[in-house]
Every structure is written in C-alpha cells, then in structure tokens.
Amino acid sequence: MPREWTARDLLPPESSAVLGGPLGRRASSRERSLPRLLPLVVALVVLPTAGAFLRQGHCVVNGWNGNDQFWRGCFSDLPAQYQLAGLDRGLGGWLTGEARLDQMPLLSGLMAFVGGLVPDAGWLDESRWYLTLWTVIIALCLVVAVWCVALLRPERLDLATQLALSPVHVVAALLSPDLVVVTLLVAAMLADTRRRPVLAGVLLGLALLGHAWVGLAAVALVIAARRVGHEAAAVRTVLVALGTAVSLAVVLALSAPAIVTGPLRAWWGEKPGYGSVLLIPELAGHPLPDRVAPLVSLLGVAVAVWACVVMARRAWRPATWAQVAALGVPVMVLTSTSVPVQAALWVLPLAILAGISWRTHLGFAAVEAVHATALWLHIGAAADPDKGLPAQWYAVVVLGRAIAWGFLLWSIWYTPVDNPVGRPAPVDRPQTPRARPHDPQHAATV
C-alpha cells in the first residue's frame, strides 16, 4: 500500500499548522501520495535560492569590489573569480591556461564554460550575468538533489523538505559551484540503490573530479556494502568512478597539465585557511610550521576512514552509504587545511539522509550563518580594525563552529536510519515477551 503523508510529515508539528495541518480522513489518498507531494516539495527550493540571490543585492547593484562586499556580507567567489581569473575567455582560455584557477578540473571547467556564455558588456554587467547564470544552475542542482533525496528515502519525505528549505543554502549556495559536486554524489547514491553500478560509478567519478572529499565518500560505499554483502557491486562502482576520473584527468593533463597539477600543488603548499581549527594558533600569534597543515590533513583522512569503519560495524542496523559517509566526511573536513563557508553544503545532504532532526539542522544552519558573518567581518578588519572582528574573536567563532560540527556527528551517530521519528531504536536482538500470568491465551501464543 503506498505511503500517505500529511503536513506533519513534511515540517515540524509546530510549523505544519501553517500549511493547514493534516488532511481530513475523507480527503483523497491521491492528495497524500508521493507523486502528488514531491513536485510541491521540489518547488520549495525557490525560497532559499531567492534568499541567497537577495543576499547578494548590494553587490549586484554596486559590484563585487573593495571591502564593502565584506561589510555587506555579499562576497561570492563566483563573480570574484570571473573578474580575476579571466573566465570571460571561456573553455578556450581554460585549456590554454589563460584562465587561472586552483579549483579541481570539473569545477574550473564549468566556471570557464559558464564564463564563455556571458555576453560582452561592462565588467559590472558581465559579473551580474555570471552570477545570474550560476543562480539558475545551482537552483537546478538543488531540484535534482531534493528529488534524489526523496527517492532515496521515500518513507521520510520530511528529509527532502529539509534539503529544499535549508537556510544553509541562503548562506553558502551562491559562494561557489560546489553544489554541482554535491548533486552528482547524491545522484550516484540513487543510482546505487537502483542497482546501476556503472551509472553510479560515472557520476561518482565526475564528482571526484570536483572535490577530493568525494574520495572518502567512495571509501564509505565499500565499507557500508561489506556488512550487507554487496562488496562486488560497490567495488565495481568505485572502479568505474576511478576509471572515469583518471581517464578524464589524463586527457586534460595531455592538453593542459596545469589544470590537473595546479590544484595538487596548491593543496600541498597550502597554509591553514579560514574556518580550519589549524588556523587558531596563527590567530593567537603562533602559526604552525610549514607542511604541518597538509600532514594533519592526511592524518585526518585516516581518522575519517576509521570513523566510517566504526559506524558500519557498530550501527544498530546496517548503515546506508549516506549514513557512513555522513560520519566520515565531516571528520575529514574538520581536519583539513581550510573549512570554507561552503563546506556546510558538502555535509548537509549526507546528514539529512542520515536522518537528523529539524532542530539539529536549524542549529547547524544558525552556527554556519554566525561563522560566515564573523569571517566577512574578520577579513574586513584588515582594512578597518576598528570596524572589523579581531583575530582572537574569530578564533573563538572557529572553535565554536568545530564544536557544533562535533554535535552534528553525535546526532548522526545516535540517529538510526530506519527510525521514522528520529529517536534511538532498540538493538536488534531476539526478545521473549513476558506473558501475563492471568492471561492463559496470551501465554499460549508466546
């Protein structure tokens, strides 16, 4: 029998009354079916996308230049890279090295491709066009991601609603093209559940060309599959992903080596960046020695893999790919050399698929909004120390953000996937119910 939903299944009980509350008992079951409700849930992505674009309002009018973009909180890497990296030359400039980007090949290629679509105009109008085009692309990515989450967890349509309405998108969606990678990963998870390992591998390989943390998600797939005996399909998916990523990287390296080697060199020489706990010593006046940050990042990868193994072995029920990845990816990100504002986009769909509650989700979004505001004020302090946020206070915000991510990990660990209300479920073991002494019939059935 198909599942029927009500407004209480999509939003917290306190908010469902805004939508009219649950449907009456005489309402048609078709009104509560997945095909009827899912398009409505997907359409909700318009709200955070519009909020993210409106957040760019001051810069859309006055341009993304100077420190005013930080004071107004409308900085975005998309128009900034368009202006500074020569993206107006399109894919041709990207292949010849005229477009200078340290992004991974997938994202740098997409940014250059979109740059080639911008009509010739003044720098401000071109920047507006570039941001507008990316707003459309990111909105489409959100539509696909929400649709995939709904099909991945059809018994929990509220999870798709969480992703569609997440305030995190208002804070971070238009800062970078990272949602393209996130959507590819979620689509790969859907293809994996539909027993299409080749398609899942191709999507996962494309995502791997976009961000290195996707590699840990691939490891999480194999770890999660071992407990349910699907190692063969998981290994096949990962091999296809590696083949896709390596073959495309080789083709790009033959035509323009800097596209592939540039991000690797930038990572190895990278010093602790914004949002990372490794930056706290520098903010306190005692920077870490060179090469320490990349080595700590490598150690963090090992710890993240160990966290995935622990989740797969000790979960109350066989953990899904998303649940295992939801525990490992945040650990890897927290120990990396940089944890930008858009890093929240990487872990959000995984945490939602793991079943976190609305309360945890909104708390996480609030912390991310505070960190983003503190970051812009801290960057602006270089031009006006009296107006900006001092380094010591930004260190406090970074530490508080890391603690909030730790709470998110705790919530993921203690939220069983199969529990529809998000409460801890009992361990699966046979139990013999006690029969009532005065109820012989019940005792006989036991």
Side-chain angles (χ1 to χ4, degrees), residues 209-222:
L209 284 175
H211 263 296
W213 61 265
V214 179
L216 183 64
V219 173
L221 169 61
V222 178

Side-chain angles (χ1 to χ4, degrees), residues 199-216:
L199 177 60
V202 171
L203 294 172
L204 186 61
L206 292 175
L208 190 57
L209 284 175
H211 263 296
W213 61 265
V214 179
L216 183 64

Side-chain angles (χ1 to χ4, degrees), residues 125-145:
D125 288 334
E126 290 180 5
S127 299
R128 292 167 177 165
W129 267 104
Y130 193 71
L131 181 70
T132 302
L133 290 174
W134 268 111
T135 302
V136 175
I137 294 172
I138 287 171
L140 293 176
C141 287
L142 273 177
V143 166
V144 175

Side-chain angles (χ1 to χ4, degrees), residues 319-363:
T320 64
W321 178 9
Q323 189 181 26
V324 175
L327 195 71
V329 170
V331 173
M332 178 182 176
V333 175
L334 278 176
T335 55
S336 62
T337 55
S338 178
V339 188
V341 175
Q342 58 266 30
L345 300 174
W346 310 344
V347 302
L348 179 65
L350 300 176
I352 288 176
L353 284 170
I356 62 169
S357 65
W358 273 99
R359 180 178 300 175
T360 301
H361 177 183
L362 294 178

Side-chain angles (χ1 to χ4, degrees), residues 266-309:
W267 170 81
W268 180 245
E270 188 177 13
K271 295 182 179 180
Y274 295 124
S276 174
V277 293
L278 301 177
L279 182 65
I280 294 179
E282 181 177 339
L283 294 172
H286 304 283
L288 296 175
D290 293 342
R291 307 301 185 191
V292 169
L295 293 176
V296 172
S297 297
L298 292 176
L299 179 61
V301 173
V303 175
V305 173
W306 173 79
C308 291
V309 172

